């Protein structure tokens, strides 16, 4: 049985006081005995202050939304995996479509980030997903397969610290989620691709769904055999709604 995971990607939202309020609210409401791993991914400056208020019994963990492809040195504005680790971060999102698209992150850059994150004992939430025109042209399986190449280059040991997030670009921030059937179909395919490397890892690797996942649709999505939880954007910014999504996973 794979444990369910619900991760909040706050993107470029929440000031320090708003972020602390939201985390305090969530921690006051979640059930200590649920078995859901909950990850909060705020902006960089909020990582450490949030770390300081995390109550480990509530199974909330801290994740960053990005890390540098460089280890250290003269790279103004960058934040390395080792610095993230040093402030208490345990996860990092790599390969989000917004970074691929708006910040020009190539497969090569993503591979460097992956390696540095894993070397620094961060768990990686690695995002894949096709654009709308690619789905319309029935290229979605091919696109996702090629995005998984970086993961297949990792060692089995490294791969055990990876979570995959399937986020179809057409579903992100649009209010149009993939149907449970569409998502399940892709998740099963992703598991098949990972199985070409190692069957046991394929069976164990968590695969999250992301893209307009909300309190209304989370239950049905999370019930699918190969969907192990969600990577949530806008619905993670509202305390009550994010709680409902956590409950849907538990
Ligand atoms: P939304 O939930 O806002 O569609 O965003 C999904 C996402 O990009 C999470 O990483």
């Amino acid at each position: 049985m794979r444990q369910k995971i619900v991760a909040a990607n706050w993107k470029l939202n929440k000031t320090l006081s708003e972020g602390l309020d939201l985390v305090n609210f969530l921690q006051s409401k979640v059930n200590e005995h649920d078995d859901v791993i909950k990850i909060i991914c705020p902006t960089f400056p909020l990582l450490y202050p949030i770390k300081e208020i995390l109550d480990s019994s509530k199974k909330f963990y801290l994740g960053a939304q990005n890390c540098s492809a460089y280890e250290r040195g003269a790279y103004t504005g960058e934040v390395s995996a080792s610095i993230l680790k040093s402030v208490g971060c345990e996860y990092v999102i790599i390969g989000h479509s917004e970074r691929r698209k708006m910040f020009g992150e190539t497969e090569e850059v993503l591979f460097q980030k992956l390696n540095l994150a894993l070397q620094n004992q961060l768990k990686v939430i690695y995002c894949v997903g096709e654009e709308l025109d690619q789905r319309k042209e029935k290229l979605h399986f091919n696109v996702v397969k090629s995005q998984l190449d970086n993961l297949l280059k990792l060692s089995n040991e490294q791969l055990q610290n990876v979570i995959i997030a399937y986020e179809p670009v057409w579903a992100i921030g649009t209010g149009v989620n993939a149907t449970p059937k569409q998502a399940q179909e892709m998740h099963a395919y992703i598991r098949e691709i990972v199985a070409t490397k190692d069957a046991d890892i394929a069976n164990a690797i968590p695969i999250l769904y992301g893209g307009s996942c909300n309190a209304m649709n989370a239950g049905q999505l999370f019930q699918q055999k190969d969907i192990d939880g969600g990577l949530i954007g806008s619905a993670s910014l509202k305390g009550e709604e994010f709680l409902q999504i956590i409950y849907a996973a538990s």
Side-chain angles (χ1 to χ4, degrees):
M1 267 295 279
R2 293 180 296 268
Q3 210 172 349
K4 284 279 193 284
I5 301 172
V6 175
N9 177 6
W10 287 359
K11 306 190 181 181
L12 186 45
N13 294 290
K14 302 287 178 198
T15 60
L16 176 58
S17 64
E18 289 167 349
L20 292 173
D21 284 352
L22 180 50
V23 173
N24 279 325
F25 170 81
L26 292 168
Q27 292 196 129
S28 71
K29 297 281 183 178
V30 292
N31 174 1
E32 268 186 48
H33 305 292
D34 77 22
D35 207 23
V36 181
I37 295 176
K38 299 166 281 278
I39 306 166
I40 305 281
C41 305
T43 53
F44 289 134
L46 274 59
L47 286 167
Y48 189 68
I50 290 178
K51 177 71 189 176
E52 291 207 301
I53 61 163
L54 283 189
D55 170 350
S56 57
S57 69
K58 304 289 174 79
K59 303 191 203 78
F60 276 94
Y61 299 90
L62 200 56
Q65 298 172 19
N66 182 27
C67 70
S68 180
Y70 302 101
E71 229 169 333
R72 71 176 62 77
Y75 301 103
T76 302
E78 290 287 278
V79 177
S80 67
S82 66
I83 292 173
L84 291 175
K85 186 72 187 176
S86 76
V87 298
C89 220
E90 285 168 271
Y91 294 83
V92 60
I93 299 172
I94 293 179
H96 194 284
S97 60
E98 287 154 12
R99 298 224 50 97
R100 290 175 187 263
K101 228 169 135 168
M102 294 188 244
F103 300 95
E105 295 191 0
T106 60
E107 296 298 328
E108 291 72 25
V109 165
L110 296 179
F111 191 61
Q112 283 173 301
K113 292 187 176 201
L114 251 177
N115 276 293
L116 283 173
L118 293 167
Q119 266 169 37
N120 285 284
Q121 284 80 49
L122 292 170
K123 294 193 175 77
V124 173
I125 302 174
Y126 197 74
C127 304
V128 297
E130 80 285 356
E131 309 251 358
L132 184 58
D133 55 344
Q134 293 169 327
R135 179 166 278 263
K136 281 185 176 158
E137 289 167 40
K138 302 204 182 336
L139 295 172
H140 44 298
F141 291 114
N142 286 346
V143 169
V144 168
K145 182 172 191 283
S146 69
Q147 290 171 335
L148 291 169
D149 278 351
N150 271 339
L151 297 187
L152 301 185
K153 287 191 259 172
L154 299 175
S155 68
N156 284 357
E157 198 191 338
Q158 286 177 309
L159 203 47
Q160 282 164 1
N161 289 307
V162 173
I163 295 167
I164 297 172
Y166 170 56
E167 299 205 307
V169 180
W170 48 270
I172 296 177
T174 59
V176 182
N177 59 289
T179 63
K181 186 165 175 274
Q182 285 172 321
Q184 165 56 30
E185 184 183 41
M186 184 58 87
H187 283 226
Y189 177 72
I190 291 170
R191 220 177 278 291
E192 254 175 56
I193 299 292
V194 178
T196 61
K197 187 173 172 68
D198 187 286
D200 290 339
I201 292 176
N203 194 38
I205 198 164
I207 309 178
L208 311 184
Y209 170 77
S212 298
C213 183
N214 57 35
M216 297 289 286
N217 59 31
Q220 270 209 324
L221 284 159
F222 298 170
Q223 274 165 29
Q224 305 302 308
K225 181 171 163 281
D226 290 294
I227 301 185
D228 304 311
L231 178 55
I232 318 297
S234 58
S236 73
L237 300 173
K238 294 165 265 177
E240 270 302 338
E241 179 150 27
F242 191 56
L243 263 184
Q244 296 304 317
I245 296 173
I246 294 168
Y247 295 154
S250 54

